[in-house]
């Protein structure tokens, strides 16, 4: 019996609905159903009574639930004990503008034999695979349900507009987002986190953006902006990292702020060095 199957069983027991449990477990309902059926076959008992409206534990299921919770708790403790000097960190694809590498280096210098295992990816991947990490660094607006997480805000950043110095808009110092609804936009690719935030900001301003190009990297996006192919939204600190005389940042009157936080799932057991890391990050920024 796999640890993943036990986790699926506990989630379904708590959620009582296959749709919600499958979403939580990041799998299809049919895959979840097969895992539960296989578990029932292995145990030789029925774990759930299924109705049209919900899925509830049988008497045998309630007994097994206690064991499953205990096994998962022991498994988490084992991981903590086996990796006391390793911190697994999932990050958004933009690290340098926020000086994250410097922060990690400074923390490592004061902790002998500490290893950081860092996975830089788009925001959606980091959120979907949060169980693979001790922490993820993410913009909190991208989290589906804040109640499922422990969130330590670290950095605040603000949305801005980036245009070519050839663009007539470059003469402005600030602008409302709704004033540029007819412009062509250069966006990051879907799933990046930036795409979702930029798109949502435009929708809240009352329009659907005309997206001319989607690019995976900020530097490439800005190169298209530089050639006046379109305009782009960005975060102020990100723009400042790539700043050059051929593009210009224009402040948005909308005052859109997007904090970055250190995040982990509630109920996760943390070794002392990981707790120390959280406090260090909060003080660092």
């Amino acid at each position: 019996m796999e640890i993943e199957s036990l986790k699926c069983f506990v989630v379904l027991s708590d959620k009582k609905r296959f749709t919600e449990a499958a979403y939580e477990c990041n799998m299809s309902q049919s895959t979840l159903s097969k895992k539960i059926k296989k578990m029932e076959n292995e145990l030789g008992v029925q774990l759930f009574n299924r109705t049209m409206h919900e899925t509830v534990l049988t008497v045998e299921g309630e007994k097994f639930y206690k064991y499953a919770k205990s096994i998962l708790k022991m498994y988490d403790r084992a991981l903590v004990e086996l990796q006391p000097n390793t911190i697994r960190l999932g990050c958004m694809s933009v690290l340098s503008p926020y000086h994250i590498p410097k922060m990690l280096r400074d923390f490592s210098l004061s902790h002998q034999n500490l290893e950081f295992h860092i996975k830089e990816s788009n925001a959606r991947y980091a959120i979907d695979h949060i169980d693979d990490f001790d922490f993820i660094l993410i913009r909190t607006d991208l989290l589906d349900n804040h109640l499922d997480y422990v969130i330590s805000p670290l950095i605040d950043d603000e949305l801005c507009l980036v245009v070519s110095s050839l663009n007539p808009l470059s003469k402005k110092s600030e602008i409302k987002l709704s004033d540029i609804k007819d412009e062509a936009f250069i966006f990051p690719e879907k799933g990046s986190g930036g795409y979702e935030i930029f798109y949502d900001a435009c929708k809240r301003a009352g329009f659907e953006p005309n997206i001319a190009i989607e690019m995976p990297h900020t530097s490439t996006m800005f190169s298209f902006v530089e050639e006046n192919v379109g305009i782009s939204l960005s975060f102020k600190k990100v723009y400042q990292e790539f700043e050059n005389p051929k593009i210009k940042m224009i402040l948005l009157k909308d005052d859109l702020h997007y904090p970055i936080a250190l995040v982990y799932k509630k109920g996760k057991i943390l070794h002392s060095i990981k707790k120390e890391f959280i406090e260090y990050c909060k003080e660092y920024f």
Side-chain angles (χ1 to χ4, degrees):
M1 192 175 296
E2 300 172 347
I3 289 294
E4 183 189 24
S5 296
L6 285 176
K7 289 180 179 177
C8 291
F9 165 74
V10 169
V11 170
L12 181 58
S13 302
D14 293 339
K15 297 291 185 182
K16 294 183 173 59
R17 295 179 186 276
F18 268 91
T19 51
E20 295 178 19
Y23 179 79
E24 179 79 14
C25 296
N26 195 31
M27 62 181 63
S28 67
Q29 290 185 56
S30 61
T31 301
L32 176 60
S33 181
K34 288 174 184 176
K35 282 186 176 293
I36 298 300
K37 188 63 179 173
K38 182 182 177 185
M39 186 180 293
E40 290 177 326
N41 289 338
E42 287 181 17
L43 294 170
V45 296
Q46 184 176 335
L47 296 172
F48 293 97
N49 284 320
R50 299 160 176 82
T51 70
M52 288 184 64
H53 301 292
E54 62 179 6
T55 303
V56 295
L57 289 168
T58 60
V59 173
E60 292 79 10
E62 288 177 356
K63 291 178 182 177
F64 186 65
Y65 178 81
K66 295 175 183 177
Y67 286 106
K69 289 281 282 186
S70 178
I71 291 167
L72 291 175
K73 195 170 185 178
M74 285 169 40
Y75 177 74
D76 285 340
R77 287 190 181 280
L79 289 180
V80 168
E81 292 300 322
L82 289 169
Q83 299 180 328
N85 293 317
T86 300
I87 294 178
R88 299 165 299 163
L89 188 63
C91 299
M92 301 179 304
S93 57
V94 182
L95 289 179
S96 59
Y98 303 106
H99 308 292
I100 303 300
K102 183 179 185 304
M103 179 194 73
L104 300 181
R105 184 206 64 183
D106 292 348
F107 186 75
S108 297
L109 289 174
S110 58
H111 294 79
Q112 284 189 340
N113 303 318
L114 174 66
E115 292 183 5
F116 278 102
H117 294 178
I118 302 169
K119 170 75 174 178
E120 190 182 46
S121 64
N122 63 47
R124 189 70 261 163
Y125 180 93
I127 294 169
D128 287 345
H129 294 81
I130 191 169
D131 290 332
D132 295 340
F133 306 110
D134 296 307
F135 310 102
I136 60 172
L137 272 168
I138 205 79
R139 298 190 196 278
T140 55
D141 296 70
L142 298 169
L143 296 172
D144 300 318
N145 186 356
H146 286 213
L147 297 177
D148 293 338
Y149 307 98
V150 178
I151 300 171
S152 299
L154 303 180
I155 307 162
D156 185 34
D157 206 351
E158 187 178 355
L159 213 58
C160 66
L161 180 67
V162 182
V163 303
S164 168
S165 57
L166 303 173
N167 193 307
L169 291 170
S170 64
K171 296 180 173 56
K172 294 181 177 290
S173 58
E174 59 178 6
I175 197 169
K176 285 189 70 173
L177 198 50
S178 58
D179 292 338
I180 54 172
K181 65 180 189 307
D182 297 324
E183 299 287 332
F185 285 86
I186 313 296
F187 261 38
E189 63 184 358
K190 285 189 181 83
S192 62
Y195 179 100
E196 288 71 21
I197 285 174
F198 298 170
Y199 193 91
D200 181 63
C202 292
K203 291 287 284 183
R204 281 193 281 159
F207 69 96
E208 194 154 339
N210 171 24
I211 303 171
I213 299 174
E214 290 179 30
M215 283 292 159
H217 303 295
T218 302
S219 57
T220 314
M221 286 171 53
F222 284 177
S223 67
F224 277 97
V225 172
E226 183 181 319
E227 299 301 326
N228 205 20
V229 175
I231 63 176
S232 183
L233 294 170
S234 184
F235 300 97
K236 285 177 68 174
K237 287 184 173 64
V238 174
Y239 166 81
Q240 288 161 359
E241 186 76 8
F242 290 92
E243 189 173 4
N244 76 61
K246 295 182 179 179
I247 59 176
K248 182 186 174 183
M249 177 180 73
I250 302 171
L251 299 178
L252 291 172
K253 295 179 183 178
D254 306 76
D255 195 28
L256 300 166
H257 288 261
Y258 296 91
I260 296 171
L262 194 68
V263 176
Y264 63 96
K265 275 277 194 75
K266 281 185 178 176
K268 193 176 190 70
I269 300 170
L270 298 178
H271 190 276
S272 57
I273 199 168
K274 295 179 174 68
K275 294 178 182 177
E276 189 179 338
F277 178 66
I278 295 171
E279 295 306 313
Y280 181 85
C281 290
K282 289 193 285 190
E283 291 176 10
Y284 192 91
F285 294 104

